[in-house]
Amino acid sequence: MSQRFTVSKSDGDRRPSDIQGEVNQLFEGDEPPTSSGAEGEDAAGAEEVVVVLKGDSNPKESSPFINSSDAATEKSQQYDGKNMALFEEEMDTSPMVSSLLSSLANYSNLPQGSKEHEEAENNEAESSRKKPVKAPQLGTLMGVYLPCIQNIFGVILFLRMTWLVGIGGVIGTFIIVFMCCATTMLTAISMSAIATNGVVPAGGSYYMISRSLGPEFGGAVGICFYLGTTFAGAMYILGAIELLLIYIAPKAAIFPLEGLEGAEAEAALLNNMRVYGTILLTSMATVVFVGVKYVNKLALVFLACVILSILAVYAGVIKTAVDPPVFPVCVLGNRTLVWKTFDVCAKTVETANGTVTTQLWRMFCDSGLLNATCDKYFAANNVTEIQGIPGVTSGILAENLFGNYYEKGDLIARNNMESVEDPDDPLTSANRYVLADITSFFTLLVGIYFPSVTGIMAGSNRSGDLRDAQKSIPIGTIAAITTTSTVYMSSVFLFGACIEGVVLRDKFGEGVHGNLVIGTLAWPSPWVIVIGSFFSTCGAGLQSLTGAPRLMQAIAKDGLVPALRIFGHGKANGEPTWSLLLTACICESGILIASLDAVAPILSMFFLMCYMFVNLACALQTLLRTPNWRPRFKFYHWTLSFLGMSLCLTLMFLCSWYYAIVAMVIAGSIYKYIEFAGAEKEWGDGIRGLSLSAARYALMRLEEGPPHTKNWRPQLLVLVSTDAEQNVEQPRLLSLTNQLKAGKGLTIVGTALEGSFLANYEQTQRAEQALRKLMETEKVKGFCQATVSSNLRDATSHLLQASGLGGLKHNAVLVSWPRNWKQGDEHQTWRNFVELVRETTAAHLALLVPKNIAAFPSNGERFTEGHIDVWWIVHDGGMLMLLPFLLRQHKVWRKCKMRIFTVAQMDDNSIQMKKDLTTFLYHLRIDAMVEVVEMHDSDISAYTYEKTLVMEQRSQMLKQINLTKTEREREIQSITDSSRGSIRRKNPAAVTTQLSVTEDPPAASKEEKPEEESKSASSPVSPPDQVQLIHDNTTPTSPATPATPLTPGEGAQSPGEQVQMTWTEKCDGEPAKPPGAATPEGIKDIFNMKPEWENLNQSNVRRMHTALRLNEVIIKKSSEAKLVLLNMPGPPRNRTGDENYMEFLEVLTDGLNRVLLVRGGGREVITIYS
C-alpha cells in the first residue's frame, strides 16, 4: 500500500521538515499542531513537499535508502542550480548523494528500550515532542565481555562441576568440556561474521538467524531459543533453591527430610524444590514486571559475586599447596559415610574410664554396649578418616584420571581401599552411606554440563547499546569464551588434583558435613562460594526472565506466527506483559520437574539447535557468496561453520537422543506452521539464495535431455482469458488443472493482453494479481504470467514459446473451447484457436481442450458414481490412458470408473482386439472396462448433405466479413452464381438472413431425415470413412489401433507420424471422392439429389458424415458418462477450411455434457515397463 500526500507551503512559512514532522506525528498517533496557514494561500508561491508513506500493516525495518519512507522526505532538498538539471525528474526516487549521507549520519535502526512507569507518567504531557536519540555508549568490556562472562559462568560450575570430574574422571570431563567449548567458540566465530555483516538491531540471535535463514527458520529457531532461555531460568531457580535448602538453610524445608530413606526422602526434597521454586519464580517475575531497571542495576552486583567466587576457588587451590584445609571424610571399609549425626569418625574412643562407644557405633548397633549386635559390614571393617582435600601436591590426580559411573542407589566407594563384605549379605542402614542419586553415564554428563557454556549471545543481544557493535561483538564474545573455557578446563585438572575422589563423587557434600564440595576448596571460607553462587544464580534467573519475554515479543511483532500475535502487546511503556506471563508459565513447568539434572538436558537441546542454525547460516552465506555477504570480521571459513554445526548436532544426540528428536519435531512443526499460516516476509535470506542455486542446478540437469517416459507428467500451460476488469472468465479451468495436477509438476497460468507493454503495465500487474488470487483459491501451485502484444494471437503465441525456463518447460497446453464462435463478431476467436492448435502441433506439445468448461465440477464437488469414458480412435502416445488415471487420483473423480472404447475396422477381429487391449491395460497397471465398437459401412444421409450445405454457406459468408462493400457484392454474386445451380439468391440480405436462421440445426431439417437413415443410425461408418476424420486422404486407411500393443520401438515412431496426420483436399478444384460416393449415381435411389448438393465439396461431405456417425455412437454409449475423453483431429494444412474444421468438431461433440478433446504431443507418455 502506498499513500501520497502533497502539502503546500507559502514562502516564509514553515519549513518542509516541519511539515514532514507533523505528518510523521499524525501517523504515529500524535495530534499535529493545528494550523490554517496553508489553507487559502496562493498556490503560485507555494513550495510542494511530497511525503510518501508506504506500509502493508506489518512492521517494516526503517532504512535511509531508496524506496524507504525516509528517503522520499529528502525531496525538500531540491537539486539546486543547473548542475543537476539532468536528474531533476528523478528526484522522487533517487535522492542526492549529499542527502543520502546526511540521512545515514542521523540514521538509527535501534529500537528504543522500554520506558519505565515514572518516565511514561512524567513525559505524558510532552509526548508530542520527540526526544533526541541518546547515542549508545557501551564499549567492548562493559557491553559484551562482562555480560558474556556473567551469563556463561553459572549454576553448573558451582553445583555440578566437581561431581562431573568425579564421575567422568579428569580425562572424560576434559573431553566433554573441550567439545562444548569448541562448539561455542566455532559458533561465536560464525556469529561474529553474521553480526558484522551490517547493522544488527536489538534482537540478537533471533534477528541474525531470521534475516539469514528466512522467516520459517528464524521463527522456528527463535522459538526454540526462547524456550531454551526460559528453561534456563527454571534451571537457575532450581539451582538457587538447591543451594538454599541443602547448604544455607536446611531447616527451612517445608517437607522435612529427617528420618526418611530412599524414594521418600527424594520425593520430599523434590516437593520442597517445587514449593520454594514457585515462590522464587513469582517474586522474580514481580521484580521484572515492576521494572527492568532494577534488574539492570543489580547485574553488576551479581557479576561481582561470580568473579569473587571464582577467585576464591583459585586462591583455595594455591593455599592447598601450602596448607591444605581440614575436611575429613569418614570411610567404613571403602564406603563413604554420611557425616551428619555423629561427631567422631571411630567405633570407640579411649577415655580415662575405659573404652567408650561413639555415636557412629550406636548408628550401626542396637545398643551402645560393646557386646551389642552390630551390622555385619560394620563389624567386619574398620573405620578410617581420610583427608577430603589432600592438596594439589598430593598426587591424588592419578587416582581421579578415569571415570566411575554408578547406577542409582550404588554406594560411593573409595577405589584403593580394601573392604570385607559378603556378596549374599543384603545392604542395611543404606541411609548411613553416601549413595548415587541418579544413574550416571557419559552422555548424561554432556547434557548436564552444556548449559554452563551457553550465554555467548549476551553481547549480540545488547548490540543496540554498543558504541561500535561490529568491532565489539567479535572481540568481546571470543575473549569471553576464551576466558571461560580456560577457567573450565583448568578447573577440571585442579579439582582432580586437589580433592579426594569420594568427595568429588559426593554430589551434595554429605561426607564433608553437608558442605558444598567446591566450597571446601575455597578460601577463606566455604560461605564465600555458597553465598556468591546463590546470588549469581538468582541474578542469572532474573536475566533469563528479562530476556526471554523480549525475545518472544520480537517474534510476535514480526508477525511470523499468527497464534503468538497477542504476545506482541504489552504495557503502555512497551513492557512485554503477556510475554512475561507466558514465560513464567513455561518456567513453572520446568520448576515442577524439580531436578536440576533433568532440566539441564532440555535447555541444552534448544540452545544447541539455535547454535547449529547460526553455524548453518554462516556456512550457507559463505558458500552461496551472495553479494551482500561482506562481514568485517574476516577470520571465518565455511569449514569452521560446518564443523560447528556438526558438533552441535552430535552433542544434541549425545545429550539425549529422544530430547533431540522432540526438539527437532517442535522446530519442524513451527517451521511448517509458519510456512503455511505465517506472514509472508522477504528478508533477503540465505534459504532463498540456496533455493535459487538449487533451482539453477536442477534446471541445468534438466537440460541434459528430455525426460524418460516413466517420468513424464503433464507440465501444463493453462491459457485463460480475462474480461475488462482483469477477472478470469473461465475459473473452472483452474479447478480442472488442480484435479489433473494435484500440486505436482509445473503449472503456468497465462493470459494474453492486447496493446503495448508500456501503456498496459498496470493492467498486466492487475491481471497477474487476479490470476494469483484465483490460483490460491483453487489451490493450484504454480506460476502466473501475463503477456502483452499488439494482438491477442501474437500474445498467445509468445506465451506458448517463452513460458518456462530451460528444461522446466510446459509439455501440454490446456485451453477451453471458444464459446460463441459462430457469432459474426467472434470470428477472430476461433481463428486464434485453430492457429493455437497448429502451433501446439508444430511445437510437439500435447493439447487439452475441455468443452462446456462451465459444466466441469469444482474442487469441492464429489462424484459418488459414474464413468470416465475414453474414446480411443487413434494412438496419441498414451495421453488418453494417462489423463483419466491422473484425474482419478483426485477426490472429485475418485469414485468414477474408467471405460475405454475403441473402434474396430472391417477386417479386424473385434473379439481378439478386445482381448489384446485388456492385456495391454493390464500391463499398463490401469484398471478399466474395455469395449470394442464396430462401425460398419453406411450411406451418406440427406441430413449430412444438409449440414454440409449450411456449413459451406456459412463459410462463404464468413469470408466476406472483412471485405469492402463493392468486393463483398461482387464476391457474393460470384458465389451464388457458381454454387447454387438452379436456386438463385441475388439479394445479399436474404443470404445473411438464411445464415442467421440456419445457425443451429433447425428441427425441420431433422424431421426431413429419411427412415432408412434413422434405421441405420446404429450401424457403424465404414472404416475408410471413419479414418478420414483423423487422417490425410493420402495416408493409408489403416491407422494405428490398439489391436496389438505397440512395441517400444514402434511406439517411439508412430506417435510423431500419426499426430501430424490431418485431413486435406487433394486440390481445391478436385475434391477427393470416397468409395460409394464418387458420383451421384453411387448414392442409393432413395435420395433425390437436390440442386444445392451437386457442387458440394465431397471431402467435406465425407468428414461431416464421419463426425455425425461417430457422434451418434458416442452419445449412444456415453451419454450418461461424467466425462468423455476423445481424440482431437488436427486442422487442415491449407487453412482454406478452418471454419469447417470448427464445425466438424462441434458436430463431433454435439449433445455431450463434458468433453475433453485430447491431442498428443508426438511422444510416448505411458509405458508398460517398470
Side-chain angles (χ1 to χ4, degrees):
M1 180 180 74
S2 178
Q3 298 171 337
R4 192 180 186 88
F5 297 88
T6 303
V7 184
S8 298
K9 90 172 189 68
S10 60
D11 295 332
D13 221 351
R14 296 169 296 161
R15 297 190 309 276
S17 58
D18 296 336
I19 299 171
Q20 172 65 44
E22 290 177 10
V23 175
N24 287 343
Q25 288 175 355
L26 177 65
F27 284 87
E28 288 172 2
D30 298 330
E31 291 293 330
T34 58
S35 174
S36 59
E39 298 179 4
E41 296 284 352
D42 184 21
E47 179 184 348
E48 184 181 81
V49 180
V50 176
V51 183
V52 177
L53 300 164
K54 295 186 178 181
D56 57 357
S57 77
N58 287 324
K60 288 281 186 182
E61 298 169 25
S62 60
S63 169
F65 296 96
I66 290 175
N67 296 329
S68 70
S69 57
D70 296 331
T73 65
E74 297 300 332
K75 187 181 175 181
S76 58
Q77 302 183 15
Q78 300 288 338
Y79 289 85
D80 298 326
K82 298 178 182 178
N83 295 332
M84 294 296 167
L86 187 61
F87 301 96
E88 62 187 8
E89 291 186 358
E90 298 177 346
M91 60 193 302
D92 286 343
T93 56
S94 302
M96 291 174 63
V97 173
S98 58
S99 61
L100 170 68
L101 295 176
S102 174
S103 300
L104 284 170
N106 299 320
Y107 170 58
S108 174
N109 193 19
L110 310 174
Q112 298 304 304
S114 301
K115 294 184 290 183
E116 299 301 327
H117 291 302
E118 303 82 30
E119 295 178 37
E121 292 168 2
N122 296 338
N123 299 331
E124 190 173 4
E126 304 175 4
S127 59
S128 59
R129 289 185 297 172
K130 288 200 168 185
K131 292 185 177 181
V133 178
K134 185 180 179 182
Q137 295 296 331
L138 292 178
T140 303
L141 182 68
M142 295 300 295
V144 181
Y145 181 76
L146 291 179
C148 283
I149 290 285
Q150 181 185 359
N151 278 267
I152 294 172
F153 285 136
V155 62
I156 300 296
L157 173 64
F158 301 119
L159 290 182
R160 293 291 182 270
M161 196 66 189
T162 53
W163 177 76
L164 289 169
V165 175
I167 296 294
V170 172
I171 295 175
T173 310
F174 182 81
I175 291 172
I176 293 172
V177 171
F178 181 80
M179 282 174 60
C180 296
C181 291
T183 301
T184 53
M185 179 62 79
L186 292 172
T187 304
I189 292 171
S190 299
M191 185 193 72
S192 299
I194 298 172
T196 57
N197 187 50
V199 178
V200 178
S205 58
Y206 162 68
Y207 183 92
M208 289 189 292
I209 294 171
S210 62
R211 269 56 175 181
S212 295
L213 292 179
E216 293 87 2
F217 274 113
V221 179
I223 291 174
C224 284
F225 190 53
Y226 163 76
L227 291 173
T229 308
T230 305
F231 275 104
M235 184 188 74
Y236 291 131
I237 290 172
L238 288 173
I241 299 303
E242 185 176 307
L243 284 163
L244 178 70
L245 292 180
I246 295 179
Y247 305 111
I248 298 176
K251 301 293 184 185
I254 297 174
F255 300 92
L257 302 176
E258 302 297 333
L260 299 179
E261 292 187 18
E264 293 180 353
E266 184 180 354
L269 177 62
L270 294 182
N271 287 332
N272 283 321
M273 301 278 279
R274 291 184 181 107
V275 172
Y276 277 101
T278 304
I279 294 171
L280 185 58
L281 172 63
T282 306
S283 59
M284 282 185 174
T286 306
V287 171
V288 173
F289 178 78
V290 169
V292 183
K293 66 179 182 181
Y294 302 113
V295 178
N296 293 333
K297 286 178 180 177
L298 291 171
L300 284 176
V301 177
F302 297 142
L303 177 61
C305 290
V306 172
I307 294 174
L308 284 174
S309 300
I310 292 171
L311 290 177
V313 171
Y314 277 101
V317 169
I318 295 170
K319 184 176 180 298
T320 60
V322 182
D323 181 20
V326 179
F327 277 102
V329 178
C330 194
V331 179
L332 175 62
N334 64 353
R335 300 176 181 176
T336 311
L337 296 174
V338 176
W339 198 326
K340 282 186 179 179
T341 54
F342 62 90
D343 50 356
V344 180
C345 183
K347 294 181 180 180
T348 57
V349 290
E350 298 293 333
T351 62
N353 298 326
T355 303
V356 180
T357 57
T358 62
Q359 292 175 339
L360 182 62
W361 177 280
R362 289 189 283 276
M363 287 169 58
F364 287 92
C365 302
D366 56 2
S367 71
L369 302 176
L370 289 173
N371 59 354
T373 304
C374 296
D375 180 82
K376 289 184 179 179
Y377 186 83
F378 179 77
N381 290 277
N382 295 324
V383 175
T384 311
E385 183 177 291
I386 60 174
Q387 182 59 272
I389 312 289
V392 72
T393 57
S394 63
I396 198 72
L397 178 64
E399 296 180 14
N400 294 330
L401 280 178
F402 303 103
N404 297 272
Y405 297 100
Y406 293 104
E407 295 288 330
K408 184 177 180 179
D410 283 357
L411 296 162
I412 304 297
R414 197 161 188 258
N415 295 331
N416 56 356
M417 291 186 71
E418 292 185 1
S419 171
V420 179
E421 56 184 306
D422 185 357
D424 299 328
D425 188 22
L427 179 66
T428 56
S429 306
N431 62 332
R432 310 287 188 265
Y433 303 109
V434 178
L435 304 176
D437 65 324
I438 59 171
T439 300
S440 53
F441 40 89
F442 181 79
T443 56
L444 173 77
L445 304 187
V446 177
I448 292 175
Y449 173 74
F450 187 80
S452 64
V453 296
T454 60
I456 62 172
M457 301 287 186
S460 64
N461 289 346
R462 294 166 180 252
S463 59
D465 303 323
L466 300 176
R467 189 183 307 117
D468 184 358
Q470 297 194 8
K471 177 183 176 184
S472 297
I473 288 176
I475 295 174
T477 306
I478 292 174
I481 292 175
T482 304
T483 304
T484 54
S485 299
T486 303
V487 169
Y488 281 134
M489 291 180 189
S490 62
S491 66
V492 170
F493 284 101
L494 293 176
F495 292 162
C498 293
I499 306 175
E500 173 62 47
V502 291
V503 179
L504 287 173
R505 294 188 285 278
D506 183 0
K507 184 185 289 185
F508 301 110
E510 294 171 309
V512 284
H513 301 281
N515 280 301
L516 182 63
V517 175
I518 194 174
T520 60
L521 188 62
W523 179 87
S525 166
W527 286 102
V528 175
I529 291 285
V530 173
I531 301 299
S533 58
F534 177 76
F535 280 115
S536 70
T537 49
C538 288
L542 277 173
Q543 293 284 357
S544 296
L545 289 179
T546 305
R550 279 159 179 71
L551 180 59
M552 173 53 69
Q553 188 180 38
I555 296 170
K557 282 188 173 180
D558 264 346
L560 299 182
V561 184
L564 296 179
R565 280 179 183 154
I566 186 175
F567 299 109
H569 305 296
K571 294 189 290 189
N573 61 350
E575 283 290 327
T577 312
W578 290 105
S579 297
L580 178 61
L581 184 62
L582 176 68
T583 303
C585 292
I586 297 174
C587 198
E588 176 65 19
S589 70
I591 287 171
L592 292 178
I593 296 174
S595 170
L596 185 71
D597 302 322
V599 173
I602 296 176
L603 65 102
S604 294
M605 289 303 114
F606 293 123
F607 277 121
L608 279 167
M609 184 167 288
C610 178
Y611 296 166
M612 180 174 73
F613 280 102
V614 169
N615 285 299
L616 174 63
C618 181
L620 202 61
Q621 299 274 34
T622 308
L623 288 173
L624 290 175
R625 298 177 182 175
T626 50
N628 192 53
W629 180 246
R630 304 184 299 274
R632 287 192 176 277
F633 181 77
K634 301 297 182 184
F635 305 100
Y636 69 93
H637 195 268
W638 68 268
T639 52
L640 295 177
S641 300
F642 189 78
L643 180 61
M645 185 177 69
S646 304
L647 272 174
C648 288
L649 192 63
T650 303
L651 287 174
M652 282 178 70
F653 282 92
L654 272 181
C655 292
S656 172
W657 64 267
Y658 44 89
Y659 278 162
I661 291 173
V662 169
M664 287 181 170
V665 168
I666 291 173
S669 303
I670 298 168
Y671 179 96
K672 297 306 290 183
Y673 178 72
I674 294 174
E675 186 178 46
F676 286 112
E680 292 184 6
K681 300 283 185 181
E682 175 49 62
W683 288 327
D685 52 87
I687 291 296
R688 191 169 181 83
L690 180 64
S691 301
L692 288 171
S693 295
R696 182 185 64 83
Y697 175 76
L699 286 171
M700 297 298 290
R701 289 292 304 272
L702 286 176
E703 282 283 272
E704 294 175 4
H708 191 273
T709 302
K710 289 186 289 187
N711 297 327
W712 195 96
R713 66 166 61 247
Q715 317 283 11
L716 288 179
L717 170 63
V718 185
L719 298 177
V720 298
S721 57
T722 54
D723 56 19
E725 301 297 324
Q726 307 307 323
N727 295 319
V728 178
E729 292 180 339
Q730 310 99 355
R732 287 293 168 87
L733 260 183
L734 293 187
S735 302
L736 179 61
T737 303
N738 178 282
Q739 294 156 25
L740 269 172
K741 303 287 291 180
K744 304 292 191 297
L746 172 71
T747 303
I748 303 173
V749 182
T751 187
L753 302 176
E754 193 170 2
S756 67
F757 180 71
L758 287 177
N760 294 279
Y761 177 72
E762 291 186 2
Q763 185 183 2
T764 306
Q765 295 299 307
R766 286 199 305 273
E768 288 192 353
Q769 189 173 1
L771 291 179
R772 202 172 286 114
K773 186 176 180 181
L774 184 60
M775 290 172 71
E776 288 177 4
T777 304
E778 297 293 342
K779 298 181 180 177
V780 173
K781 295 182 179 179
F783 311 97
C784 59
Q785 187 172 354
T787 303
V788 185
S789 188
S790 56
N791 58 74
L792 291 178
R793 173 83 287 281
D794 288 346
T796 307
S797 181
H798 296 162
L799 270 175
L800 202 67
Q801 297 173 58
S803 296
L805 179 64
L808 193 66
K809 289 181 71 71
H810 54 277
N811 54 25
V813 178
L814 177 63
V815 62
S816 68
W817 177 261
R819 294 181 302 169
N820 306 323
W821 67 272
K822 292 184 180 181
Q823 295 179 3
D825 56 347
E826 296 287 336
H827 70 283
Q828 196 57 42
T829 305
W830 63 261
R831 291 186 189 278
N832 291 347
F833 176 77
V834 176
E835 284 301 304
L836 177 65
V837 177
R838 287 196 175 98
E839 288 183 355
T840 54
T841 303
H844 295 287
L845 299 175
L847 179 64
L848 312 178
V849 182
K851 195 164 179 281
N852 303 329
I853 185 64
F856 276 67
S858 66
N859 291 327
E861 296 181 41
R862 302 285 184 276
F863 288 135
T864 55
E865 57 181 358
H867 295 94
I868 299 177
D869 286 358
V870 176
W871 283 84
W872 194 17
I873 300 169
V874 295
H875 182 55
D876 56 355
M879 280 289 289
L880 284 172
M881 306 292 175
L882 189 62
L883 293 177
F885 170 78
L886 294 175
L887 282 174
R888 291 182 66 231
Q889 305 302 306
H890 196 275
K891 49 194 171 185
V892 173
W893 304 93
R894 191 165 291 154
K895 299 284 182 69
C896 293
K897 295 182 179 178
M898 183 174 165
R899 296 190 300 190
I900 295 183
F901 298 91
T902 190
V903 179
Q905 312 234 4
M906 284 292 292
D907 54 350
D908 285 331
N909 183 344
S910 58
I911 298 175
Q912 184 62 37
M913 194 172 169
K914 182 175 181 178
K915 190 183 297 183
D916 292 340
L917 181 54
T918 305
T919 306
F920 181 50
L921 291 175
Y922 175 79
H923 288 307
L924 287 176
R925 290 92 64 201
I926 290 177
D927 185 21
M929 293 180 285
V930 175
E931 187 170 341
V932 178
V933 178
E934 296 180 348
M935 295 184 66
H936 300 294
D937 195 4
S938 67
D939 296 312
I940 299 174
S941 66
Y943 179 58
T944 302
Y945 278 101
E946 282 296 330
K947 287 285 290 183
T948 310
L949 175 61
V950 171
M951 179 184 73
E952 290 200 354
Q953 287 174 350
R954 184 178 178 282
S955 299
Q956 293 295 333
M957 293 311 301
L958 285 171
K959 293 177 182 177
Q960 311 308 314
I961 289 175
N962 294 321
L963 299 178
T964 63
K965 183 178 179 181
T966 308
E967 291 172 330
R968 190 179 304 167
E969 290 176 354
R970 186 185 308 119
E971 184 68 21
I972 289 174
Q973 185 64 41
S974 168
I975 292 168
T976 53
D977 289 346
S978 62
S979 66
R980 293 297 170 264
S982 61
I983 300 176
R984 303 287 183 179
R985 295 183 179 90
K986 295 183 179 179
N987 186 355
V991 179
T992 308
T993 305
Q994 180 187 351
L995 172 65
S996 62
V997 170
T998 58
E999 190 74 41
D1000 294 314
S1005 65
K1006 294 182 181 178
E1007 292 171 2
E1008 289 173 7
K1009 287 193 289 185
E1011 291 181 6
E1012 285 76 10
E1013 194 272 340
S1014 61
K1015 285 179 183 176
S1016 61
S1018 61
S1019 59
V1021 180
S1022 65
D1025 295 341
Q1026 179 268 328
V1027 170
Q1028 291 300 330
L1029 176 64
I1030 307 296
H1031 290 273
D1032 195 331
N1033 297 353
T1034 60
T1035 60
T1037 59
S1038 56
T1041 64
T1044 306
L1046 293 172
T1047 63
E1050 293 168 344
Q1053 296 174 354
S1054 58
E1057 298 167 359
Q1058 290 157 357
V1059 166
Q1060 300 299 332
M1061 294 176 182
T1062 57
W1063 54 52
T1064 57
E1065 297 175 7
K1066 293 183 178 177
C1067 62
D1068 292 344
E1070 300 178 8
K1073 298 178 181 181
T1079 61
E1081 290 77 16
I1083 304 171
K1084 290 188 176 180
D1085 294 336
I1086 191 168
F1087 297 121
N1088 295 318
M1089 286 295 295
K1090 293 185 180 181
E1092 296 92 335
W1093 301 351
E1094 293 176 1
N1095 294 319
L1096 285 179
N1097 186 320
Q1098 292 302 310
S1099 178
N1100 287 342
V1101 173
R1102 286 184 290 104
R1103 292 174 194 141
M1104 182 62 74
H1105 173 65
T1106 306
L1108 282 168
R1109 295 292 292 114
L1110 266 178
N1111 178 254
E1112 289 171 5
V1113 175
I1114 293 172
I1115 286 179
K1116 180 181 177 182
K1117 297 284 187 181
S1118 303
S1119 58
E1120 299 299 323
K1122 300 299 183 186
L1123 178 64
V1124 176
L1125 284 86
L1126 184 64
N1127 282 117
M1128 181 179 180
R1133 289 200 181 104
N1134 56 15
R1135 286 186 168 81
T1136 57
D1138 285 359
E1139 60 278 3
N1140 299 342
Y1141 170 68
M1142 297 295 291
E1143 187 68 46
F1144 292 142
L1145 293 181
E1146 193 72 62
V1147 170
L1148 182 64
T1149 57
D1150 187 36
L1152 296 172
N1153 186 24
R1154 299 186 193 93
V1155 183
L1156 185 60
L1157 295 169
V1158 180
R1159 187 160 169 76
R1163 62 159 293 160
E1164 291 290 335
V1165 300
I1166 196 166
T1167 178
I1168 63 174
Y1169 299 104
S1170 62

